[in-house]
Amino acid sequence: MTSDKSCDTKSSWVYSDIVKEHFLNPKNFLMGDEKKYPHDAEGIVGNPVCGDQMLMMLQIDKKTQTIKDIKWKTYGCASAIASTSALSELAKGKKIDDALKITADEIAEYLGGLPKNKFHCSVLGHEALEKAIQSYKDMLK
Amino acid sequence: MIYLDHAATSPLLPEVKHAMKKAMDEIFGNASSLHTPGHSANQAIEDARLKIAKLINANPEEIIFTSGGSESNNTVIRTFANKDIVVSAIEHPSILKPTKKYAKNCIVLPVNQQGEVIFDDDISADLFSIMLANNELGTIEPIQDLSKKVHNKKSYIHTDATQAIGKIPVDVKKLDVDYLTFNAHKIGGPTGIGVLYVKNGAPFEPLMLGGHQEKGRRAGSYDTISVIGFGVAAELASKPQKDLRNLRDLLAKRISEKIPHSSINTPLENSIPSILNVSFEAAEGESIQLYLDLEGIAVSTGSACASGDGKPSHVLMAAHHDAEVAHSSIRFSLSNENTKEDIDKVMEVLPKIIERLQKISTIKIKGDKK
């Protein structure tokens, strides 16, 4: 079948251009075995049975309490991939306490909006980061 | 664009489009009016009814026009409201929902991993509604055998033939069913028009009241243009079809060979030749679907992330009882328009998409788990 304008993904893709960009070229994701990525903290949320799961891994500078580097993996939809990618960009370089203040709304906003039924994807990313930072703090106790 | 989602809907066939355009210019009367414009609309509708009846070897008066498969399905179930109804677990929601709401007792038959209904000879009911071919797996159900069993119980049988029509021979006399549903848009006709076959003498309660159309069985002015389009599509579907099986099986073979951790969910030996359902372990279906979309390939998925209700495909859940299989599933559905080149293009991009999703996945591939 030949293409016509209505089938052109450039003009009518289901999500925003920013979601598309992060979906096509996700930032900071980890290919392959997470054991090969040395990290100071990790958080995993979601459940494959529900259709999405996210893992966040952080390298944290102990002196400055800053997120030096961040890597993630996900089993999830386009919005989950884009949300986690966006969050990793937002959190990188931030002090852990500031990173905790990033909200699900901010992630959605950064992506130029998410459809209502996909908003929970940004919540999930946020929760994974929170869990990772919490586990780091618990470790220090 | 390579369109591999014909089970969702198919583009209008050129002959159908031509007939509908012509009808738009020439036919405007209300088919129920006695004057000449009305009469010519009526003639066009009856001509279409003949073609549709012929496609399934029915008598024309056994064909009732509806707004589509969902209405036809609802109409049958509502005819048996407050009675005992047996359905399969993999029926379309337009069977499952009304049955759960209106039946006195609703019995849901399970399916095996191939999607084949597991019939229970001891069950009795007033109506049995089992689809002829499943929309997600493509599995063909043994309706001819089931009809015999159901009729021995002095019960009635309905089959939803929406996916089977035009793909395998559908003959109401051979199948020996009392009711049969199908629509136009799966065979290259327009959306918004379908039929319900009701065998002469079978019980019937109209869903839509307030007009004498369809002998009082379905009220509402005719959508003449769509009926005409449906007639042409039915006529074309009556002709011998190109064998899609080779193309479909080639896709299955190449996926199995080239993509690790993929599993074919469609029973290739017992399915309509147009559907191939595959799961890719650890790769989520909506992501696969949208990466393919960005490569100009349209498919569908059983993943909850792509569904309207946030739930994974009830068909794959019934067959596999494994949410991961459902979330990671992709359905390819072919038509006569598709070529070997389309399969080549899919195989150019799909292995890379799956590999990438598997590598960034939090789910460990089985066998790799330590």
Side-chain angles (χ1 to χ4, degrees), chain B residues 160-238:
Chain B
D160 178 355
T162 305
Q163 291 294 339
I165 201 82
K167 307 297 184 298
I168 53 171
V170 176
D171 179 323
V172 289
K173 299 212 166 64
K174 263 194 200 145
L175 291 171
D176 193 22
V177 288
D178 303 295
Y179 309 89
L180 184 138
T181 288
F182 68 99
N183 67 29
H185 75 104
K186 311 284 190 196
I187 54 169
T191 47
I193 186 86
V195 290
L196 176 62
Y197 158 83
V198 181
K199 191 179 173 182
N200 276 330
F204 186 80
E205 272 301 319
L207 187 66
M208 211 70 94
L209 299 169
H212 58 269
Q213 293 87 357
E214 300 299 87
K215 300 193 171 91
R217 294 175 297 179
R218 204 278 187 179
S221 299
Y222 287 102
D223 181 353
T224 310
I225 308 294
S226 294
V227 169
I228 290 168
F230 194 176
V232 176
E235 193 175 26
L236 294 168
S238 306

Coordinates of all heavy atoms in Angstrom, one line a residue, chain B residues 160-238:
Chain B
D160 N -20.2 -15.7 15.7 CA -19.7 -14.5 15.3 C -18.7 -14.7 14.2 O -17.6 -15.2 14.5 CB -19.1 -13.7 16.5 CG -18.5 -12.4 16.1 OD1 -18.5 -12.1 14.9 OD2 -18.1 -11.7 17.0
A161 N -19.0 -14.5 12.9 CA -18.1 -14.8 11.8 C -17.4 -13.6 11.3 O -16.9 -13.6 10.2 CB -19.0 -15.5 10.7
T162 N -17.3 -12.6 12.1 CA -16.8 -11.3 11.7 C -15.4 -11.4 11.1 O -15.0 -10.8 10.1 CB -16.8 -10.3 12.8 OG1 -18.1 -10.2 13.3 CG2 -16.3 -8.9 12.4
Q163 N -14.5 -12.3 11.8 CA -13.2 -12.4 11.3 C -13.0 -13.5 10.2 O -12.1 -13.5 9.4 CB -12.2 -12.7 12.5 CG -12.0 -11.6 13.4 CD -11.3 -10.4 12.8 OE1 -10.6 -10.5 11.8 NE2 -11.5 -9.2 13.4
A164 N -14.0 -14.4 10.2 CA -13.9 -15.6 9.3 C -14.3 -15.2 7.9 O -13.8 -15.8 6.9 CB -14.7 -16.7 9.9
I165 N -15.2 -14.3 7.8 CA -15.9 -14.0 6.5 C -14.8 -13.5 5.5 O -14.0 -12.7 5.8 CB -17.0 -13.0 6.7 CG1 -18.0 -13.1 5.5 CG2 -16.5 -11.6 6.9 CD1 -19.0 -14.2 5.6
G166 N -14.9 -14.1 4.3 CA -13.9 -13.7 3.3 C -12.6 -14.4 3.4 O -11.7 -14.3 2.6
K167 N -12.3 -15.1 4.6 CA -11.0 -15.7 4.8 C -11.1 -17.2 4.7 O -10.2 -17.9 4.2 CB -10.5 -15.4 6.2 CG -10.5 -13.9 6.6 CD -9.5 -13.2 5.7 CE -9.3 -11.7 6.0 NZ -10.6 -10.9 5.9
I168 N -12.3 -17.8 5.1 CA -12.6 -19.2 4.9 C -14.0 -19.3 4.4 O -14.8 -18.3 4.6 CB -12.4 -20.0 6.2 CG1 -13.2 -19.4 7.4 CG2 -10.9 -20.1 6.6 CD1 -13.3 -20.3 8.6
P169 N -14.4 -20.4 3.8 CA -15.8 -20.5 3.3 C -16.7 -20.4 4.6 O -16.5 -21.1 5.6 CB -15.8 -21.9 2.7 CG -14.4 -22.2 2.4 CD -13.6 -21.5 3.4
V170 N -17.8 -19.6 4.4 CA -18.8 -19.5 5.5 C -20.1 -19.9 4.9 O -20.6 -19.1 4.1 CB -18.8 -18.1 6.1 CG1 -19.9 -18.0 7.2 CG2 -17.4 -17.8 6.8
D171 N -20.7 -21.0 5.3 CA -21.9 -21.5 4.7 C -22.9 -21.8 5.8 O -22.6 -22.7 6.6 CB -21.6 -22.7 3.8 CG -22.9 -23.3 3.2 OD1 -23.9 -23.3 3.8 OD2 -22.7 -23.8 2.0
V172 N -23.9 -21.0 6.0 CA -24.8 -21.2 7.2 C -25.5 -22.6 7.2 O -25.8 -23.1 8.2 CB -25.9 -20.1 7.3 CG1 -25.2 -18.8 7.6 CG2 -26.7 -20.0 6.0
K173 N -25.7 -23.1 6.0 CA -26.3 -24.5 5.9 C -25.4 -25.6 6.4 O -25.7 -26.4 7.2 CB -26.9 -24.7 4.5 CG -27.9 -23.7 4.2 CD -29.0 -24.2 3.2 CE -30.2 -23.2 3.2 NZ -29.8 -21.9 2.6
K174 N -24.1 -25.5 5.9 CA -23.1 -26.4 6.4 C -22.8 -26.3 7.8 O -22.7 -27.3 8.6 CB -21.8 -26.2 5.6 CG -21.7 -27.2 4.4 CD -20.3 -27.2 3.8 CE -20.3 -27.7 2.4 NZ -19.3 -27.1 1.6
L175 N -22.7 -25.0 8.3 CA -22.4 -24.8 9.7 C -23.6 -25.2 10.5 O -23.4 -25.5 11.7 CB -22.0 -23.3 9.9 CG -20.7 -22.8 9.3 CD1 -20.6 -21.3 9.4 CD2 -19.5 -23.5 10.0
D176 N -24.7 -25.1 9.9 CA -26.0 -25.4 10.6 C -26.2 -24.5 11.8 O -26.5 -25.0 12.9 CB -26.1 -26.9 10.9 CG -27.5 -27.3 11.3 OD1 -28.4 -26.6 11.0 OD2 -27.6 -28.3 12.0
V177 N -26.0 -23.2 11.7 CA -26.2 -22.3 12.8 C -27.5 -21.6 12.7 O -28.1 -21.5 11.6 CB -25.1 -21.2 12.9 CG1 -23.8 -21.8 13.3 CG2 -24.9 -20.5 11.5
D178 N -28.0 -21.1 13.8 CA -29.3 -20.4 13.8 C -29.1 -18.9 13.6 O -30.0 -18.2 13.1 CB -30.0 -20.6 15.2 CG -30.2 -22.1 15.4 OD1 -30.9 -22.7 14.6 OD2 -29.5 -22.7 16.3
Y179 N -28.0 -18.4 14.1 CA -27.7 -17.0 13.9 C -26.2 -16.8 13.5 O -25.4 -17.6 14.0 CB -27.9 -16.2 15.3 CG -29.2 -16.4 15.9 CD1 -29.4 -17.5 16.8 CD2 -30.3 -15.6 15.7 CE1 -30.6 -17.7 17.4 CE2 -31.5 -15.8 16.3 CZ -31.6 -16.9 17.2 OH -32.8 -17.1 17.8
L180 N -25.9 -15.8 12.7 CA -24.5 -15.6 12.3 C -24.3 -14.1 12.1 O -25.2 -13.4 11.5 CB -24.2 -16.3 11.1 CG -22.8 -16.3 10.6 CD1 -22.3 -17.7 10.1 CD2 -22.6 -15.3 9.4
T181 N -23.2 -13.6 12.7 CA -22.9 -12.1 12.6 C -21.7 -11.9 11.7 O -20.7 -12.7 11.7 CB -22.5 -11.6 14.0 OG1 -23.7 -11.6 14.8 CG2 -21.8 -10.3 14.0
F182 N -21.8 -10.9 10.8 CA -20.5 -10.3 10.2 C -20.8 -8.9 9.7 O -21.9 -8.4 9.8 CB -20.0 -11.2 9.1 CG -20.8 -11.4 7.9 CD1 -20.5 -10.6 6.7 CD2 -21.9 -12.2 7.8 CE1 -21.2 -10.7 5.6 CE2 -22.6 -12.4 6.6 CZ -22.3 -11.6 5.5
N183 N -19.7 -8.2 9.3 CA -19.9 -6.8 8.9 C -19.1 -6.6 7.6 O -18.4 -7.5 7.1 CB -19.4 -5.9 10.0 CG -18.0 -6.0 10.3 OD1 -17.1 -6.3 9.4 ND2 -17.6 -5.7 11.6
A184 N -19.2 -5.4 7.1 CA -18.6 -5.0 5.8 C -17.1 -4.6 5.9 O -16.4 -4.9 5.0 CB -19.4 -3.8 5.2
H185 N -16.8 -4.0 7.0 CA -15.4 -3.3 7.0 C -14.3 -4.3 7.2 O -13.1 -3.9 7.0 CB -15.4 -2.2 8.0 CG -15.2 -2.5 9.4 ND1 -14.1 -2.4 10.1 CD2 -16.2 -3.0 10.3 CE1 -14.3 -2.8 11.4 NE2 -15.5 -3.1 11.5
K186 N -14.5 -5.6 7.5 CA -13.4 -6.5 7.5 C -13.2 -7.1 6.1 O -12.2 -7.8 5.9 CB -13.7 -7.6 8.5 CG -14.2 -7.2 9.9 CD -13.1 -6.6 10.7 CE -13.6 -6.5 12.2 NZ -12.8 -5.6 13.0
I187 N -14.1 -6.9 5.2 CA -13.9 -7.4 3.8 C -13.8 -6.3 2.8 O -14.2 -6.5 1.6 CB -15.0 -8.4 3.5 CG1 -16.4 -7.8 3.6 CG2 -14.8 -9.7 4.3 CD1 -17.5 -8.7 3.0
G188 N -13.3 -5.2 3.2 CA -13.1 -4.1 2.3 C -14.3 -3.2 2.0 O -14.3 -2.4 1.0
G189 N -15.3 -3.4 2.8 CA -16.5 -2.5 2.7 C -16.4 -1.4 3.7 O -15.4 -1.3 4.4
P190 N -17.5 -0.6 3.8 CA -17.4 0.5 4.8 C -17.7 0.1 6.2 O -18.3 -1.0 6.5 CB -18.6 1.4 4.3 CG -19.5 0.5 3.6 CD -18.7 -0.6 3.0
T191 N -17.3 0.9 7.2 CA -17.6 0.7 8.6 C -19.0 1.1 8.8 O -19.6 1.9 8.0 CB -16.7 1.5 9.6 OG1 -16.6 2.8 9.1 CG2 -15.3 0.9 9.6
G192 N -19.6 0.7 9.9 CA -21.0 1.2 10.3 C -22.1 0.4 9.7 O -23.2 0.8 9.7
I193 N -21.7 -0.7 9.0 CA -22.8 -1.6 8.5 C -22.4 -3.0 8.7 O -21.3 -3.5 8.5 CB -23.0 -1.2 7.0 CG1 -24.2 -2.0 6.4 CG2 -21.8 -1.5 6.1 CD1 -25.5 -1.3 6.6
G194 N -23.4 -3.8 9.1 CA -23.2 -5.2 9.3 C -24.5 -6.0 9.1 O -25.5 -5.4 8.7
V195 N -24.5 -7.3 9.3 CA -25.7 -8.0 9.1 C -25.8 -9.1 10.3 O -24.8 -9.4 10.9 CB -25.8 -8.8 7.8 CG1 -26.1 -7.9 6.6 CG2 -24.7 -9.7 7.6
L196 N -27.0 -9.4 10.5 CA -27.3 -10.6 11.4 C -28.1 -11.6 10.5 O -29.1 -11.2 10.0 CB -28.0 -10.2 12.6 CG -28.4 -11.4 13.5 CD1 -27.2 -12.1 14.1 CD2 -29.3 -10.9 14.7
Y197 N -27.5 -12.8 10.4 CA -28.3 -13.8 9.8 C -29.2 -14.5 10.8 O -28.7 -14.8 11.9 CB -27.4 -14.9 9.1 CG -28.0 -16.2 8.9 CD1 -28.8 -16.5 7.8 CD2 -27.8 -17.3 9.9 CE1 -29.4 -17.8 7.7 CE2 -28.4 -18.5 9.7 CZ -29.2 -18.8 8.6 OH -29.8 -20.0 8.4
V198 N -30.5 -14.6 10.6 CA -31.4 -15.2 11.5 C -32.1 -16.3 10.7 O -32.9 -16.0 9.8 CB -32.4 -14.3 12.1 CG1 -33.3 -15.0 13.1 CG2 -31.7 -13.1 12.8
K199 N -31.9 -17.6 11.1 CA -32.5 -18.7 10.3 C -34.0 -18.6 10.4 O -34.5 -18.2 11.5 CB -32.0 -20.0 11.0 CG -32.3 -21.2 10.2 CD -31.8 -22.4 11.0 CE -32.2 -23.7 10.4 NZ -31.6 -24.8 11.2
N200 N -34.7 -18.9 9.4 CA -36.1 -18.8 9.4 C -36.7 -19.7 10.5 O -36.3 -20.8 10.7 CB -36.7 -19.4 8.0 CG -36.7 -18.3 7.0 OD1 -36.9 -17.2 7.3 ND2 -36.5 -18.7 5.7
G201 N -37.5 -19.1 11.3 CA -38.1 -19.8 12.4 C -37.4 -19.7 13.8 O -38.0 -20.0 14.8
A202 N -36.2 -19.1 13.7 CA -35.4 -19.0 15.0 C -36.0 -17.8 15.8 O -36.5 -16.8 15.2 CB -34.0 -18.8 14.7
P203 N -36.0 -17.9 17.1 CA -36.6 -16.8 17.9 C -35.9 -15.5 17.6 O -34.7 -15.5 17.3 CB -36.3 -17.2 19.4 CG -35.9 -18.6 19.3 CD -35.4 -19.0 18.0
F204 N -36.6 -14.4 17.7 CA -36.0 -13.1 17.4 C -36.7 -12.0 18.2 O -37.9 -11.9 18.1 CB -36.0 -12.8 15.9 CG -35.2 -11.5 15.6 CD1 -33.8 -11.5 15.6 CD2 -35.9 -10.3 15.4 CE1 -33.1 -10.4 15.3 CE2 -35.2 -9.1 15.2 CZ -33.8 -9.2 15.1
E205 N -35.9 -11.1 18.8 CA -36.5 -9.9 19.4 C -35.7 -8.7 18.9 O -34.5 -8.7 19.0 CB -36.2 -10.0 21.0 CG -37.3 -10.6 21.8 CD -38.7 -10.0 21.6 OE1 -38.8 -8.8 21.6 OE2 -39.6 -10.8 21.5
P206 N -36.4 -7.8 18.3 CA -35.6 -6.6 17.8 C -35.0 -5.8 18.9 O -35.6 -5.7 20.0 CB -36.7 -5.8 17.0 CG -38.0 -6.3 17.5 CD -37.8 -7.7 18.0
L207 N -33.8 -5.3 18.6 CA -33.1 -4.4 19.6 C -33.6 -3.0 19.4 O -33.8 -2.3 20.4 CB -31.6 -4.5 19.3 CG -30.7 -3.8 20.3 CD1 -30.8 -4.5 21.7 CD2 -29.3 -3.9 19.8
M208 N -33.8 -2.7 18.2 CA -34.2 -1.3 17.8 C -35.7 -1.3 17.4 O -36.1 -2.0 16.5 CB -33.4 -0.9 16.6 CG -33.1 0.6 16.5 SD -32.0 1.1 17.8 CE -30.4 0.9 16.9
L209 N -36.5 -0.5 18.1 CA -37.9 -0.5 17.8 C -38.4 0.8 17.2 O -37.7 1.8 17.4 CB -38.7 -0.7 19.1 CG -38.5 -2.0 19.9 CD1 -39.1 -2.0 21.3 CD2 -39.0 -3.2 19.1
G210 N -39.5 0.8 16.5 CA -40.1 2.1 16.1 C -40.0 2.3 14.6 O -40.1 3.4 14.1
G211 N -39.9 1.2 13.8 CA -39.9 1.4 12.3 C -40.2 0.0 11.7 O -39.9 -1.0 12.4
H212 N -40.7 0.0 10.5 CA -41.1 -1.2 9.9 C -40.0 -1.8 9.1 O -40.1 -2.9 8.4 CB -42.3 -1.0 9.1 CG -42.1 0.0 8.0 ND1 -42.4 1.3 8.2 CD2 -41.5 -0.1 6.8 CE1 -42.0 2.0 7.2 NE2 -41.5 1.2 6.3
Q213 N -38.8 -1.1 9.0 CA -37.7 -1.6 8.2 C -37.3 -3.1 8.6 O -37.5 -3.5 9.8 CB -36.5 -0.7 8.3 CG -36.6 0.7 7.8 CD -37.2 1.6 8.8 OE1 -37.6 1.3 9.9 NE2 -37.4 2.9 8.4
E214 N -36.8 -3.8 7.7 CA -36.3 -5.1 7.9 C -37.5 -6.0 8.5 O -37.3 -6.8 9.5 CB -35.1 -5.2 8.8 CG -33.9 -4.5 8.3 CD -33.4 -5.1 7.0 OE1 -33.9 -4.6 5.9 OE2 -32.5 -5.9 7.0
K215 N -38.6 -5.8 8.0 CA -39.9 -6.5 8.5 C -40.1 -6.3 10.0 O -40.4 -7.3 10.7 CB -39.8 -8.0 8.1 CG -39.6 -8.2 6.6 CD -39.9 -9.7 6.3 CE -40.0 -10.0 4.8 NZ -38.7 -10.3 4.2
G216 N -39.8 -5.1 10.5 CA -40.0 -4.8 11.9 C -38.9 -5.4 12.8 O -39.0 -5.3 14.0
R217 N -37.8 -5.9 12.1 CA -36.8 -6.6 13.0 C -35.7 -5.6 13.3 O -34.9 -5.9 14.2 CB -36.2 -7.8 12.2 CG -37.3 -8.9 12.1 CD -36.7 -10.1 11.2 NE -36.4 -9.7 9.9 CZ -35.9 -10.5 8.9 NH1 -35.7 -11.7 9.2 NH2 -35.7 -10.0 7.7
R218 N -35.6 -4.5 12.6 CA -34.6 -3.5 12.9 C -35.0 -2.1 12.4 O -34.9 -1.8 11.2 CB -33.2 -3.9 12.3 CG -32.0 -3.3 13.0 CD -31.7 -1.9 12.6 NE -30.5 -1.4 13.1 CZ -30.0 -0.2 12.9 NH1 -30.7 0.6 12.1 NH2 -28.8 0.2 13.4
A219 N -35.5 -1.3 13.4 CA -36.0 0.0 13.0 C -34.9 1.0 12.6 O -33.8 0.9 13.2 CB -36.9 0.6 14.1
G220 N -35.2 1.9 11.8 CA -34.2 3.0 11.4 C -34.0 3.1 9.9 O -34.0 2.1 9.2
S221 N -34.0 4.3 9.4 CA -33.8 4.5 8.0 C -32.5 3.8 7.5 O -31.6 3.8 8.2 CB -33.7 6.0 7.7 OG -34.9 6.6 8.1
Y222 N -32.6 3.3 6.3 CA -31.4 2.6 5.8 C -30.3 3.5 5.5 O -30.5 4.6 5.0 CB -31.8 1.9 4.5 CG -32.7 0.7 4.7 CD1 -34.1 0.7 4.5 CD2 -32.1 -0.5 5.1 CE1 -34.9 -0.4 4.7 CE2 -32.9 -1.6 5.4 CZ -34.3 -1.6 5.1 OH -35.1 -2.7 5.3
D223 N -29.1 3.0 5.7 CA -27.9 3.7 5.3 C -27.6 3.1 3.9 O -26.7 2.2 3.7 CB -26.7 3.4 6.2 CG -25.4 4.1 5.8 OD1 -25.4 4.6 4.7 OD2 -24.5 4.0 6.6
T224 N -28.3 3.6 2.9 CA -28.3 3.0 1.6 C -26.9 2.9 1.0 O -26.5 1.9 0.4 CB -29.3 3.8 0.6 OG1 -30.5 3.9 1.3 CG2 -29.5 3.0 -0.7
I225 N -26.2 4.0 1.1 CA -24.8 4.0 0.4 C -23.9 2.9 1.0 O -23.2 2.2 0.3 CB -24.2 5.4 0.7 CG1 -25.1 6.6 0.2 CG2 -22.8 5.5 -0.1 CD1 -25.4 6.6 -1.2
S226 N -24.0 2.8 2.3 CA -23.1 1.8 3.0 C -23.6 0.4 2.6 O -22.8 -0.6 2.4 CB -23.2 1.9 4.5 OG -22.5 3.1 4.9
V227 N -24.9 0.2 2.5 CA -25.5 -1.1 2.2 C -25.0 -1.5 0.8 O -24.5 -2.6 0.5 CB -27.0 -1.1 2.2 CG1 -27.6 -2.4 1.6 CG2 -27.5 -1.0 3.7
I228 N -25.0 -0.5 -0.1 CA -24.5 -0.8 -1.5 C -23.0 -1.2 -1.5 O -22.6 -2.1 -2.1 CB -24.7 0.5 -2.4 CG1 -26.2 0.6 -2.6 CG2 -24.0 0.4 -3.7 CD1 -26.7 2.0 -3.2
G229 N -22.2 -0.5 -0.7 CA -20.8 -0.8 -0.6 C -20.6 -2.2 0.0 O -19.7 -2.9 -0.5
F230 N -21.4 -2.5 1.0 CA -21.3 -3.9 1.6 C -21.6 -4.9 0.5 O -21.0 -6.0 0.4 CB -22.4 -3.9 2.7 CG -22.2 -5.1 3.7 CD1 -23.0 -5.2 4.8 CD2 -21.3 -6.1 3.5 CE1 -22.9 -6.2 5.7 CE2 -21.1 -7.1 4.4 CZ -22.0 -7.2 5.5
G231 N -22.7 -4.7 -0.3 CA -23.0 -5.6 -1.3 C -21.9 -5.9 -2.3 O -21.6 -7.1 -2.6
V232 N -21.2 -4.9 -2.7 CA -20.1 -5.0 -3.6 C -19.0 -5.8 -2.9 O -18.4 -6.7 -3.5 CB -19.6 -3.7 -4.1 CG1 -18.3 -3.9 -5.0 CG2 -20.7 -3.0 -4.9
A233 N -18.7 -5.5 -1.7 CA -17.6 -6.2 -0.9 C -18.0 -7.6 -0.8 O -17.1 -8.5 -0.9 CB -17.4 -5.5 0.4
A234 N -19.2 -7.9 -0.5 CA -19.7 -9.3 -0.4 C -19.5 -10.1 -1.7 O -19.1 -11.3 -1.7 CB -21.1 -9.4 0.1
E235 N -19.8 -9.4 -2.8 CA -19.7 -10.1 -4.1 C -18.2 -10.4 -4.4 O -17.9 -11.5 -4.8 CB -20.2 -9.1 -5.2 CG -20.4 -9.8 -6.5 CD -21.1 -8.8 -7.5 OE1 -20.9 -7.6 -7.4 OE2 -21.7 -9.3 -8.4
L236 N -17.4 -9.5 -4.0 CA -15.9 -9.7 -4.2 C -15.4 -10.8 -3.3 O -14.6 -11.6 -3.7 CB -15.1 -8.4 -4.0 CG -15.4 -7.3 -5.0 CD1 -14.8 -6.0 -4.6 CD2 -14.8 -7.7 -6.4
A237 N -15.9 -10.9 -2.1 CA -15.5 -11.9 -1.1 C -16.0 -13.3 -1.5 O -15.5 -14.3 -1.1 CB -16.0 -11.5 0.3
S238 N -17.0 -13.3 -2.4 CA -17.5 -14.6 -2.8 C -16.6 -15.3 -3.8 O -16.6 -16.5 -4.1 CB -18.9 -14.5 -3.5 OG -19.8 -13.8 -2.7

